[in-house]
Amino acid sequence: MRLSVLDLVPVRTDQSTSDALAASTQLAQTADSLGYTRYWVAEHHNMPSVAATSPPVLIAHLAAHTTHVRLGSGGVMLPNHAPLAVAEQFALLEAAHPGRIDMGIGRAPGSDPVTSWALRNAAGRDDRDIEAFPDYLDDLVALMGERGVRVPIPNERYILKATPAAVTVPKLWLLGSSMYSAHLAAAKGLPYVFAHHFSGKGTAEALEVYRSKFRPSDQAPEPLTFLTVNAVVAETPQEAKALMLPNLHMMARLRTGQPLGPLELVEDAEESTLTPHAQRIAEDALQRAVVGTPAQAAEQMRALAAEFDVDEVMVNPVASARRGTGPATAPARDKTLELLAKELF
């Protein structure tokens, strides 16, 4: 089984943004040294617990501090950006690090409605850009290709290209958590990743639609897919659950519309309480995650891969930390990757 990593660059209550980035840099180096296949960073905005706002910037930083692991976006929220700008950013990353760049593209806003409005309004974008998402995917492929995109200007042949002399291009993946994305990925013949770590519902149905409706393309001659899962691995199941508790509380508050802050430390999460509804959400998220000892986690990972017929799983290591942990470190996140690799590689 191939393992990969998804990183939202979480910010704990004891961390600055610089600390969180330093911890994620170390995590990427851990993944690189252990033989993980890819390391993707997300795009979220105006969230106190997430420092991953600009995937291209993060990818450039992490690529400079790693050697082998593929770096990518999980993902860029395309309606927030001009396709040409995204194509140029990733074509340039690919030129700097040939054969190591993945471009994961999503349709969601990556934030709350007010922040989404600020992102899109400032750039002259609106909901029509969401409706144009399928066309924007085609534009990305063409802009990074050898021929570029022909702009329909009367009496003139005008070509747009992401770079003047691209030799290789980043691998394009469509991300999603709904049937819409499964149908779209299949229709366009794109590799597809399902956000099982976030949604957890409809995974089997989405992957079945993707595989059954898939149309071969230059991007992928046959269906190519994997899924994501939240994970915490520790020496005891009790410690694994404790380390995951802050993330469960954060997700429950997010889904019930409560105010959000940085990711709690374990001791603070153990002392805080949730509403009954939020508690049920947290318990449901725990059931969908990979949590436990190395042997337990490996068994859960194999079962997940078998259930959804994938040979690669992308792990989102969501462990927090205990009081007294170095702010620029995330040892429990590193340990999750180390213990999984030891059992599964």
Side-chain angles (χ1 to χ4, degrees):
M1 180 192 303
R2 294 194 302 274
L3 293 179
S4 294
V5 182
L6 174 65
D7 186 8
L8 275 61
V9 192
V11 183
R12 306 189 307 259
T13 53
D14 64 334
Q15 290 179 311
S16 66
T17 303
S18 295
D19 293 331
L21 289 170
S24 280
T25 302
Q26 175 59 54
L27 188 68
Q29 291 172 329
T30 297
D32 192 39
S33 65
L34 291 172
Y36 279 74
T37 300
R38 51 189 111 241
Y39 193 101
W40 285 7
V41 291
E43 177 186 338
H44 292 287
H45 301 280
N46 201 34
M47 296 181 68
S49 61
V50 177
T53 57
S54 177
V57 173
L58 273 173
I59 291 168
H61 170 74
L62 296 175
H65 287 81
T66 54
T67 305
H68 304 292
V69 68
R70 294 186 66 91
L71 281 301
S73 53
V76 167
M77 302 297 104
L78 191 54
N80 293 341
H81 312 280
L84 177 59
V86 175
E88 286 183 330
Q89 291 161 358
F90 278 81
L92 196 58
L93 286 168
E94 176 68 21
H97 306 280
R100 292 187 61 202
I101 303 300
D102 292 329
M103 181 170 62
I105 298 295
R107 178 172 170 265
S111 189
D112 60 86
V114 175
T115 304
S116 298
W117 175 87
L119 280 168
R120 294 173 182 170
N121 184 66
R125 310 182 73 78
D126 54 35
D127 287 347
R128 288 173 294 182
D129 294 289
I130 299 175
E131 297 169 4
F133 180 69
D135 295 330
Y136 287 169
L137 287 173
D138 295 337
D139 290 342
L140 281 179
V141 173
L143 285 163
M144 291 186 296
E146 184 178 346
R147 297 180 181 178
V149 172
R150 185 174 184 275
V151 180
I153 298 176
N155 304 316
E156 185 174 353
R157 188 176 183 273
Y158 195 93
I159 301 297
L160 281 175
K161 293 184 67 174
T163 62
V167 177
T168 59
V169 297
K171 185 75 172 180
L172 176 61
W173 294 79
L174 182 61
L175 317 183
S177 59
S178 68
M179 298 302 288
Y180 171 89
S181 58
H183 279 285
L184 184 60
K188 292 191 175 296
L190 293 173
Y192 178 55
V193 181
F194 191 85
H196 183 75
H197 78 285
F198 177 77
S199 175
K201 298 183 184 300
T203 306
E205 293 83 356
L207 294 182
E208 171 58 28
V209 163
Y210 170 68
R211 290 169 173 139
S212 64
K213 303 291 186 182
F214 184 85
R215 298 177 182 175
S217 72
D218 292 339
Q219 300 300 307
E222 59 186 22
L224 181 60
T225 187
F226 61 86
L227 50 82
T228 58
V229 64
N230 291 331
V232 178
V233 187
E235 297 296 346
T236 68
Q238 294 80 12
E239 179 65 2
K241 289 180 181 178
L243 288 166
M244 189 171 187
L245 190 61
N247 177 266
L248 295 174
H249 282 201
M250 181 188 68
M251 289 302 300
R253 293 186 178 112
L254 174 66
R255 297 197 175 207
T256 54
Q258 298 179 56
L260 300 177
L263 187 68
E264 295 174 308
L265 296 173
V266 171
E267 292 86 350
D268 296 327
E270 289 175 333
E271 295 175 359
S272 64
T273 59
L274 299 176
T275 65
H277 178 47
Q279 184 62 39
R280 288 192 295 271
I281 292 173
E283 291 169 357
D284 182 60
L286 178 62
Q287 292 299 314
R288 296 197 310 271
V290 169
V291 186
T293 65
Q296 291 170 336
E299 182 179 354
Q300 293 168 41
M301 291 287 286
R302 293 189 186 100
L304 188 71
E307 179 182 359
F308 297 112
D309 191 22
V310 296
D311 59 9
E312 179 178 344
V313 177
M314 179 168 277
V315 174
N316 181 20
V318 296
S320 184
R322 291 190 175 275
R323 193 169 290 120
T325 299
T329 68
R333 301 182 77 213
D334 285 299
K335 196 70 172 178
T336 290
L337 299 191
E338 293 166 0
L339 294 176
L340 274 178
K342 187 175 181 180
E343 289 288 327
L344 293 172
F345 289 166

